[in-house]
């Protein structure tokens, strides 16, 4: 089974943590300011969002895009044993501090889980399994240990494995090297980007209609408002729900099965 399925956000098992723990500022993504630890004005007493169906229309685009990789329910149900911050206000500070740390761990688990699905990276399996187990062990620690975690050294172990996985998968396609490239608003419609290295590339508002992005490495790529109408992203590397949510697509856009087609994509 694809382990990424265990890292899908389940808001019904969370306590609206992302709607409380995280801060945001008035911008194109949010109509108001919110301090960390302050509940969003739209958070209902049952921890649901009062405007979930119209977040974008109400100006809360940032909320519509956000995905926690399942970190919210992990913190709520495991780290804190199912006790909410409303039931026990004394745990709120520790609970809110745990969410961003857990999200980073779950993001690494997501990428490692994907890497383990690629036959081309089979030679890396022992190292990938070891890194996955080590990351999972960190995610199982208590709130105090989570707060004290120094993640950069662990990330320094994980990142080279993901890069090597990318190289092995993309070697079959010899795609263009555009890592970190400024492609804001770029006209890339119908482009053959199979096997391209687009790590960290700025693809904001790029025209990627009918582009072939199979086996393209998209880790960290900024796809905000990118037009993916008709684009093929099946088999693309390290694509996340947040990236898909931030882009524009249509009924012809192909995405990996593990991701959910955003509701705002044109019907």
């Amino acid at each position: 089974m694809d382990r990424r399925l265990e890292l899908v956000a389940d808001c019904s098992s969370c306590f609206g943590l992302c709607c409380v723990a995280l801060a945001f500022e008035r911008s194109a993504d949010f109509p108001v300011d919110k301090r960390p630890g302050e509940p969003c004005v739209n958070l209902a007493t049952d921890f649901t969002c009062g405007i979930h169906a119209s977040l974008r229309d109400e100006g809360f685009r940032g909320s519509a895009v956000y995905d926690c990789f399942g970190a919210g329910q992990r913190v709520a149900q495991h780290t804190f044993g199912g006790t909410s911050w409303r039931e026990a206000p004394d745990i709120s500070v520790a609970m809110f501090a745990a969410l961003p740390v857990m999200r980073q761990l779950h993001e690494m688990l997501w990428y490692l889980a994907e890497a383990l699905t690629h036959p081309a990276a089979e030679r890396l399996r022992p190292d990938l399994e070891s890194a996955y187990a080590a990351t999972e062990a960190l995610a199982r620690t208590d709130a105090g240990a989570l707060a004290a975690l120094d993640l950069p050294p662990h990330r320094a172990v994980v990142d080279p494995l993901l890069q090597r996985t990318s190289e092995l998968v993309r070697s079959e396609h010899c795609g263009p090297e555009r890592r970190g490239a400024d492609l804001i608003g770029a006209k890339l419609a119908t482009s053959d980007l199979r096997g391209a290295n687009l790590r960290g590339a700025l693809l904001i508002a790029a025209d990627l209609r009918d582009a072939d992005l199979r086996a393209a490495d998209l880790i960290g790529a900024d796809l905000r408002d990118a037009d993916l109408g008709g684009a093929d992203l099946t088999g693309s590397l390290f694509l996340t729900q947040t990236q898909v949510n931030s882009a524009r697509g249509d009924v012809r856009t192909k995405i990996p099965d593990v991701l959910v087609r955003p509701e705002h994509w044109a019907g």
Side-chain angles (χ1 to χ4, degrees):
M1 184 186 79
D2 190 327
R3 293 178 218 184
R4 287 175 292 177
L5 296 175
E6 300 174 352
L7 300 168
V8 175
D10 177 10
C11 296
S12 66
S13 297
C14 185
F15 301 129
L17 293 184
C18 65
C19 304
V20 187
L22 307 180
F24 52 72
E25 297 180 352
R26 187 189 299 268
S27 64
D29 291 325
F30 297 99
V32 296
D33 297 324
K34 191 186 86 63
R35 294 172 297 180
E38 175 184 301
C40 174
V41 295
N42 301 305
L43 184 64
T45 55
D46 62 354
F47 303 115
T48 60
C49 175
I51 61 167
H52 178 72
S54 57
L55 279 169
R56 290 176 179 273
D57 293 337
E58 297 288 342
F60 287 86
R61 172 177 167 161
S63 299
V65 167
Y66 181 80
D67 179 69
C68 73
F69 297 96
Q73 67 254 30
R74 180 74 167 266
V75 169
Q77 302 301 327
H78 297 277
T79 310
F80 288 89
T83 300
S84 79
W85 52 273
R86 280 185 172 146
E87 294 175 272
D90 57 307
I91 69 173
S92 62
V93 172
M95 180 176 277
F96 299 158
L99 178 64
V101 178
M102 188 67 79
R103 185 184 186 276
Q104 291 182 69
L105 290 171
H106 272 218
E107 183 177 14
M108 284 188 270
L109 287 173
W110 177 277
Y111 294 141
L112 289 166
E114 179 184 331
L116 285 163
T117 69
H118 292 292
E122 183 62 29
R123 72 184 73 171
L124 299 177
R125 177 168 289 277
D127 291 333
L128 289 169
E129 289 283 9
S130 177
Y132 190 96
T135 307
E136 177 61 31
L138 292 176
R140 287 197 301 267
T141 56
D142 61 29
L146 281 172
L149 278 181
D150 184 13
L151 288 180
H154 183 65
R155 195 180 295 279
V157 174
V158 172
D159 283 352
L161 290 172
L162 300 179
Q163 291 183 41
R164 184 59 182 144
T165 297
S166 173
E167 292 166 358
L168 289 170
V169 174
R170 290 185 298 106
S171 66
E172 302 174 359
H173 301 278
C174 300
E177 177 63 47
R178 304 306 303 272
R179 180 171 183 169
D182 184 349
L183 298 170
I184 297 176
K187 306 301 182 184
L188 299 168
T190 71
S191 293
D192 183 354
L193 295 170
R194 285 175 295 176
N197 185 358
L198 292 167
R199 285 181 157 238
L202 299 177
L203 288 159
I204 301 170
D207 182 358
L208 289 162
R209 288 173 298 168
D210 298 305
D212 191 342
L213 289 152
R214 288 176 293 174
D217 188 340
L218 293 168
I219 196 167
D222 194 336
L223 292 170
R224 283 178 294 170
D225 284 327
D227 191 343
L228 299 176
D232 189 348
L233 294 96
T234 53
S236 59
L237 295 166
F238 308 126
L239 184 66
T240 67
Q241 190 67 52
T242 294
Q243 289 171 301
V244 169
N245 290 347
S246 70
R248 293 180 290 128
D250 60 22
V251 294
R252 299 177 301 120
T253 307
K254 298 177 182 177
I255 59 175
D257 291 339
V258 73
L259 298 178
V260 177
R261 184 174 296 273
E263 293 179 1
H264 72 278
W265 282 13

